[in-house]
Structures are given as structure tokens and as C-alpha cells.
Amino acid sequence: MNASVPIKHTQAENDLFDRFDGAKGGLSGSVAVTALREAAVDSIRSKGLPHRRVEEYKYSDLRAFMKSAAPLAAAADADSVKAALDSHETFGDLDRFRIVIANGAFLAELSDVDALAAEGLTVTSLCDALAGEQGGGLLSAPKSGDGDGVIALNTAFVQGGVVVEVKDGAELSKPVELVQVAASAGAQITRNRIVVGKGAKLRLLETFVGDTGKGELNTVFDYDLADGASLAATRLIVGKSEAARLFTTVAKIGGEAEFKSLGFIAGPRFTRNQQFIEFTGENSEAKIYGVSMAGGDDLADQTLVVDHSVPHCNSREFFKTVLDGRAKGVYQGRINVAQHAQKTDGEMMTQALLLSEEAEMANKPELEIFADDVICAHGATSGQIDEDLLFYLRARGIPEAEAKTLLVLAFLAEAIEEYGEDDVTEGLEARVRDWLAGH
């Protein structure tokens, strides 16, 4: 076998190697964690950043997008963090607990640690966990995402994050917002492990505040649902940004459990929201929703893999995309059904609305089925605003711009309302209106 030809590294890749050499002495972790970091960098060195010749990145070429890589963000200034939080109005007056991460580090003094503990939820620093004997297990990759370049970047450079544990049977009185703050420029790389105990219920709001400048944001959420657990996770990826926004979900769902998520994208120049979901216990359900809005030259990528590894589980995937200008939308969804996963019920649908002639949508729904007693289906549509509906509204005195706004809002609201978290619906729909006002 001929030896592989070494790749020619880009400026961004060389920047990443320099970043690692300069930062590795200050990155937390046990010996096992350090070895995982080194292996991740070696993977990037041999493969490069994910690019269009990698099937999963065919439509969202991160290597071509990243022209350089900024250093990791320095420690946050407390006053800057407080100022950013004071201006943070994502969900308005919604009453919620808060966990704060700033420039990659968990800030207990700005988080509702004591109030959460009284409700049955404990939160600790990921850095402390990485330094322990079991630290290496916190950086493991999902089976469907093994070798993924974005996860490798996260493993190599993860600065911190939190470990959240909800005790068995706990049901919090209000949602928990995990807010990540960019108090200064620089790459921010975090990983958050969320463990929901047996019969426990958690509603999680994942938000980001601030601008990392030329530094990428790369965050992994690692969910572990025990038997009978319930988790609803709402992820907002909003605001203008010229740097890459890279989000990864890794979820393992136990028996008779319920997992529900909504990924909401509006504004960043390059966004990839990828999810790797695995059923590990029977009689469980996953409902995955996505709402994407992109204009100008923006790219919004929603990628999803659902592994039905056990029998008697249901999954539903419903994604909506609106594109304007020269924007590009990507949906890649795959349902894997193992040979012994009989009685699986899985359905996915992706729908796109193109507001301009130059907008482009890449739809790629897939089914990979090795069992014979299943119900599985997928569908994909792309189109423009229905002229008959637009004429109907205009004939009743509604101006054209307002009529289009109503139609687009109705299109996206179908996914938001089916998600079913009523107390966050108003905030999400307000974000849709804000985006439409600029397009």
C-alpha cells in the first residue's frame, strides 16, 4: 500500500497547531485527557479541517471558510460579564435559573448554584472533572460521530464548561438557562455534560452572548438520560458573527425516556448545528426540531444522525429553513435502524422557503434500515412563497412586506409550536420577526 501523501496545511490549520503548542500547558486534564487532546490534534494534522470531500461536510466546507484561527479567549473580566448579562434579553421576563460560562470558564459566583441544589440539580466545573481519574470519559465521541473534525477540534482545545447532574425523580420548578458569554475576543471551546437521573425532568435553554471576533465558538452538549427521564433542550444560535459557530449534541436516551430539542439559527455567517442521538433503552421517544434563517452570504447547516440501537423506540425530526439573498441552507438527516431494533417508528421532514432566486438549499434525508418490522419515512421540499396566499392577503389591504412576513412567520411557527414549550414560543417568534425586519 502506498503511503498517503501529506496534506498541505492551510493558514488556519497552522494557526491551530500554533494555538495548541502555546496553550496545551494551561489546558486542564488528567494524563488520559492530555493524550486525547494530542490524538485530536494529530487527527487534524493528518486530515485537515473538515472539507467538501468529507461526505458529511460536502455542503458546508469549514476548511474553505476558516481563513485563520484566533488564539483562545483569555480569562473573563467579571464586570464585562455582568454588563453582557444585563443586556441579555433573549427570553425577556421568563423566570429561569441561570448557569454562566464566560470565555470558556464556569463562573459559580454568577450562577444560581444554591437555588439549583435545592431543586435537586448540582453543577460543577468541567475543568475539575477533567482533572479526575474519569476525566477521559468526558471527551469520548459518539459512535456515529467518531472521527468528526468539529468534535476533534473541541477535544483538542476545550477550555472548560460544566457538569450538570439532576438527581433521580427531581422536577425543577422553572427552566435552566446555560448562557455562554464572550466577554472579549478569542476562540471559545466548551463542553457541557448534562446527566438527567431516573424519572427526572429538565428544561434547558442554551444561549450565547457576545462576539468572539475572529475566534470560533465550538461547544459540545453531552446529554445522558436515565430510564424514565425527560429533557427539553432549546438552543439559540443568533446574532451576527463573522467567525464559525459550531455546535454538537451527543445524546444517549435510556428506557421509557423522552428527549426533545429545538435548534434555532439566525444570523451567524457560518453555523453548523450537528446532533448525534442514540437510543440505549426501549420504549423511548425523541423529537428533534430545527428552525434556520439565513440571508446575505450566510450558511446554516442542520445535521442529524439518529441511531435506533434498540427496539420499540420512536423518533420525529421536523426542520424548517428560510433563505434570502445568496444564503445557503443545509439539512442532512439520517435514521439508522439496527437489525435487532424491531418496532422502530421514525419519520423526518425538512422544508425550505426560498425568498430570492440566488438562495440555495441542500436537502439530504437518509434512511439506513437493517430491521424488517419498522415504520420509517422521510420527505423534503423546497419552494417559494405561495403567490395565491400572498394575493389573498394583499387583496385584504395588507401591504406586501407585511403579508410576506405573516406567511414566513406562519411557515416557521409550525415547527416552533409543535416543539411545544409554550413559555419560550413568544421569545422565539420575536426573534423570527427581528430577522425578517432586516430582510
Side-chain angles (χ1 to χ4, degrees), residues 305-324:
V305 180
V306 178
D307 283 312
H308 284 265
S309 303
V310 296
H312 301 284
C313 290
N314 301 333
S315 68
R316 295 291 183 271
E317 297 80 36
F318 189 28
F319 286 74
K320 295 269 195 171
T321 303
V322 173
L323 303 172
D324 196 12

Side-chain angles (χ1 to χ4, degrees), residues 156-401:
F157 295 104
V158 61
Q159 300 161 283
V162 291
V163 177
V164 172
E165 297 179 278
V166 185
K167 72 178 184 180
D168 294 352
E171 183 174 352
L172 278 71
S173 60
K174 51 188 178 182
V176 177
E177 180 185 20
L178 198 161
V179 55
Q180 301 188 79
V181 181
S184 59
Q188 300 205 25
I189 318 295
T190 61
R191 189 172 294 217
N192 305 295
R193 178 162 171 78
I194 315 295
V195 181
V196 187
K198 291 182 179 179
K201 296 183 179 181
L202 174 65
R203 293 189 298 151
L204 186 66
L205 311 175
E206 304 163 7
T207 60
F208 183 82
V209 183
D211 187 359
T212 59
K214 295 182 179 180
E216 78 274 13
L217 171 66
N218 183 329
T219 184
V220 172
F221 282 85
D222 182 359
Y223 306 129
D224 191 341
L225 279 66
D227 293 348
S230 174
L231 171 62
T234 308
R235 175 174 301 161
L236 266 70
I237 311 171
V238 297
K240 297 302 296 181
S241 171
E242 292 303 313
R245 294 288 182 258
L246 309 170
F247 290 76
T248 301
T249 290
V250 178
K252 291 186 177 180
I253 306 172
E256 298 183 347
E258 180 183 9
F259 174 64
K260 184 170 64 171
S261 73
L262 171 68
F264 186 100
I265 299 173
R269 175 70 181 82
F270 184 108
T271 305
R272 181 176 172 94
N273 183 42
Q274 59 179 10
Q275 304 183 65
F276 303 96
I277 316 297
E278 181 183 5
F279 289 99
T280 60
E282 297 185 24
N283 300 305
S284 294
E285 184 173 56
K287 295 181 178 179
I288 317 298
Y289 300 91
V291 170
S292 301
M293 293 169 286
D297 293 315
D298 298 345
L299 178 142
D301 179 342
Q302 299 264 20
T303 290
L304 172 74
V305 180
V306 178
D307 283 312
H308 284 265
S309 303
V310 296
H312 301 284
C313 290
N314 301 333
S315 68
R316 295 291 183 271
E317 297 80 36
F318 189 28
F319 286 74
K320 295 269 195 171
T321 303
V322 173
L323 303 172
D324 196 12
R326 297 177 301 279
K328 184 175 182 179
V330 179
Y331 173 80
Q332 299 180 105
R334 188 170 80 242
I335 296 175
N336 297 327
V337 183
Q339 186 173 1
H340 58 279
Q342 305 294 343
K343 303 296 183 182
T344 288
D345 187 343
E347 295 182 9
M348 71 169 66
M349 171 59 75
T350 170
Q351 298 176 334
L353 188 61
L354 309 182
L355 303 182
S356 74
E357 295 291 340
E358 297 177 291
E360 180 182 342
M361 183 69 196
N363 281 320
K364 189 185 174 188
E366 299 176 271
L367 302 174
E368 192 169 279
I369 303 170
F370 295 97
D372 53 14
D373 188 4
V374 303
I375 300 173
C376 289
H378 64 65
T381 65
S382 295
Q384 298 177 316
I385 287 179
D386 189 315
E387 292 295 334
D388 290 338
L389 291 177
L390 183 61
F391 176 80
Y392 178 86
L393 293 176
R394 295 190 65 191
R396 278 146 185 80
I398 300 176
E400 182 176 2

